[in-house]
């Protein structure tokens, strides 16, 4: 049991550790007597309580980390729409142009907003992005349907990325509220892009659907990872398919559609890496 | 149950006599009478107001109240479709109904004994036969729901509940975008809901409940949470 070594190791990287645990430094020194009175089996619990006290909920990811992560994704989305709307080869129908310029405007606003919050801490955009994703979508700026497919994957993934970070912003009124307000705008975009695709004959809904065996409802297997776990039906320990519906119990389709799922930072980073995001 | 008539008599007696004279009987007896009178008032909802409660349970009940309203609305829409509804509209509005019912039932089950009661709605202002009336109400409900979740997120203390709220709000935003495009193509995120920073509306409870209450016979309050209606 290297418990006391652990504390001294932490103090080397975080000299204020003892103060974080207790404002009265003397208190931590009494840990020896505390330990002697507590059964050895209880020690892991005591340790975890100490760490929680010391580092709270943002132990691994700080607010600026979350904001810079979001900024990287917004740079990507903004560049995507900026290039797409300007690509004459796409021949975007006049009726759809307003849809896309609305989304384009928001992504650029998100970039400016996050840069404004982060100030000098803001990361820089990549010098260039590869929207073919290393050749997966070679016609992204020459075929409108490909462009829409990539747009949808990026928007749905953006929604999932923001959702995954909400717990890291717990209780932070300003930043969490702003992140949620961006999150729902991305969901509006995702819905709108899906509606355009539907109007062009793709069998898709404004919301993410699926089945027990299929989480990706886009018909494009290359983006399976972007939809991993979307067909989850367990929410808060409850099986949604067992809950009452208008008739009978909730269908698996309704259970999947009525809850969007989050993605972890690691999952999203891996998904956007082929686009040149590092 | 047999104590009810006695309480009734007690309250009538209290009303007839002056409070000061009654209080003079004794502190202990007076306290019991007051306590039972207060408890009864809260339980029988004679004023037709239900309070969401406090803490995370209060926020979950707040969401439950809004989902009850939305679910009841779409159940009516699906049961009596407006004139000239298209096949796609029927299919997707039925989907939305099923989503809202799933949200309602989820909160009800998750809250268990802490759930507020089933609310009585008042849809007299809506003409369910008219497409414009139905879709404008749907738009108002969906935008309100999104703004309400966005506004209440920071109040949630538990990370699991926050994630659940996040899982639902994006589905509401997808609904809002669809309904808005039905009313006016391209209006899915126009400047009536999204500001110059690209941020969706964020509304506090004190702003959301008065709007929701316009469509509820059972009024919902957040007094115990610390917000006035």
């Amino acid at each position: 049991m290297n418990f006391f070594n652990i504390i001294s190791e932490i103090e080397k990287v975080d000299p204020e550790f003892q103060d974080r645990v207790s404002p009265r430094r003397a208190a931590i020194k009494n840990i020896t007597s505390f330990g002697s009175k507590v059964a050895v089996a209880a020690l892991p619990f005591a340790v975890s309580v100490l760490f929680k006290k010391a580092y709270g909920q943002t132990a691994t990811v700080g607010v600026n980390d979350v904001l810079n992560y979001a900024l990287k994704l917004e740079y990507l989305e903004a560049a995507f729409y900026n290039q797409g709307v300007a690509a004459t080869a796409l021949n975007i129908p006049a009726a759809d142009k307003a849809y896309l310029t609305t989304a384009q405007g928001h992504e650029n606003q998100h970039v400016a907003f996050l840069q404004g919050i982060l100030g000098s801490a803001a990361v820089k955009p990549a010098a260039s992005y590869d929207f073919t994703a290393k050749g997966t979508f070679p016609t992204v700026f020459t075929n409108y349907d490909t462009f829409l497919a990539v747009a949808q994957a990026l928007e749905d993934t953006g929604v999932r990325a923001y959702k995954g970070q909400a717990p890291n912003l717990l209780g932070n009124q300003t930043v969490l509220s702003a992140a949620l307000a961006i999150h729902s705008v991305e969901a509006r975009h995702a819905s709108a892009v899906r509606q355009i695709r539907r109007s062009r004959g793709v069998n898709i809904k404004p919301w993410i659907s699926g089945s027990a065996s299929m989480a990706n409802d886009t018909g494009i297997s290359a983006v399976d990872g972007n939809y991993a776990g979307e067909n989850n039906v367990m929410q808060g320990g409850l099986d949604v398919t067992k809950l009452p519906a208008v008739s009978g119990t909730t269908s698996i389709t309704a259970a999947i559609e009525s809850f969007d799922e989050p993605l972890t930072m690691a999952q999203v980073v891996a998904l956007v890496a082929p686009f040149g995001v590092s | 149950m047999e104590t009810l008539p006695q309480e009734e008599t007690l309250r009538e007696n209290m009303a007839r006599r002056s409070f000061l004279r009654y209080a003079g009987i004794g502190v202990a007896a007076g306290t019991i009478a007051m306590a039972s009178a207060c408890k009864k008032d809260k339980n029988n909802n004679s004023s037709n107001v239900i309070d969401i409660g406090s803490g995370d349970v209060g926020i979950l009940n707040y969401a439950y109240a809004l989902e009850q309203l939305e679910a009841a609305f779409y159940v009516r829409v699906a049961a009596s479709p407006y004139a000239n509804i298209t096949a796609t509209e029927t299919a997707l509005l039925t989907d939305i109904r099923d989503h809202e019912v799933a949200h309602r039932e989820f909160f009800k089950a998750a809250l268990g004994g802490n759930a507020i009661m089933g609310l009585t709605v008042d849809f007299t202002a809506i003409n369910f036969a008219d497409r414009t009336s139905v879709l404008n109400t749907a738009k108002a409900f969906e935008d309100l729901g999104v703004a309400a979740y966005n506004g209440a997120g920071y109040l949630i203390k538990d990370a699991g509940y926050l994630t659940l709220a996040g899982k639902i709000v994006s589905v509401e935003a997808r609904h809002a975008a669809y309904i808005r495009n039905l009313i006016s193509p391209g209006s899915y995120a126009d400047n009536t809901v999204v500001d110059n920073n690209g941020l969706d509306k964020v509304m506090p409870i004190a702003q959301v409940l008065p709007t929701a209450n316009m469509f509820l016979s059972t009024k919902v309050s957040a007094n115990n949470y610390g917000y006035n209606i």
Side-chain angles (χ1 to χ4, degrees), chain B residues 73 125-128 130-138:
Chain B
F73 170 73
I126 305 161
N127 179 0
F128 283 92
D130 178 60
R131 186 178 186 268
T132 303
S133 176
V134 169
L135 293 183
N136 280 334
T137 308

Side-chain angles (χ1 to χ4, degrees), chain B residues 35-107:
Chain B
S36 60
C38 289
K39 190 166 179 249
K40 191 164 189 311
D41 268 350
K42 201 177 169 184
N43 286 350
N44 71 3
N45 293 302
S46 55
S47 52
N48 214 19
V49 174
I50 187 88
D51 198 276
I52 58 171
S54 58
D56 279 359
V57 164
I59 298 302
L60 296 181
N61 267 322
Y62 173 56
Y64 177 42
L66 296 175
E67 297 294 351
Q68 286 193 51
L69 177 62
E70 287 190 298
F73 170 73
Y74 287 106
V75 165
R76 276 284 293 276
V77 170
S80 52
Y82 51 76
N84 302 317
I85 191 167
T86 68
T88 299
E89 287 168 11
T90 300
L92 294 182
L93 289 173
T94 305
D95 271 7
I96 297 180
R97 176 199 67 178
D98 292 344
H99 304 163
E100 304 299 4
V101 169
H103 293 163
R104 180 190 68 195
E105 294 303 320
F106 169 74
F107 281 115

Side-chain angles (χ1 to χ4, degrees), chain B residues 3-32:
Chain B
T3 59
L4 274 175
Q6 288 172 2
E7 278 187 22
E8 224 46 271
T9 313
L10 193 60
R11 293 185 71 205
E12 279 166 26
N13 285 343
M14 273 189 71
R16 260 184 252 125
R17 302 171 192 191
S18 83
F19 174 74
L20 280 175
R21 194 182 150 200
Y22 208 83
I25 291 169
V27 174
T31 307
I32 291 163

Side-chain angles (χ1 to χ4, degrees), chain A residues 7-23:
Chain A
I7 290 190
S8 84
E9 285 300 316
I10 291 171
E11 281 185 293
K12 284 178 194 161
V13 289
D14 182 358
E16 288 166 19
F17 172 69
Q18 290 190 355
D19 288 327
R20 286 176 195 271
V21 175
S22 167

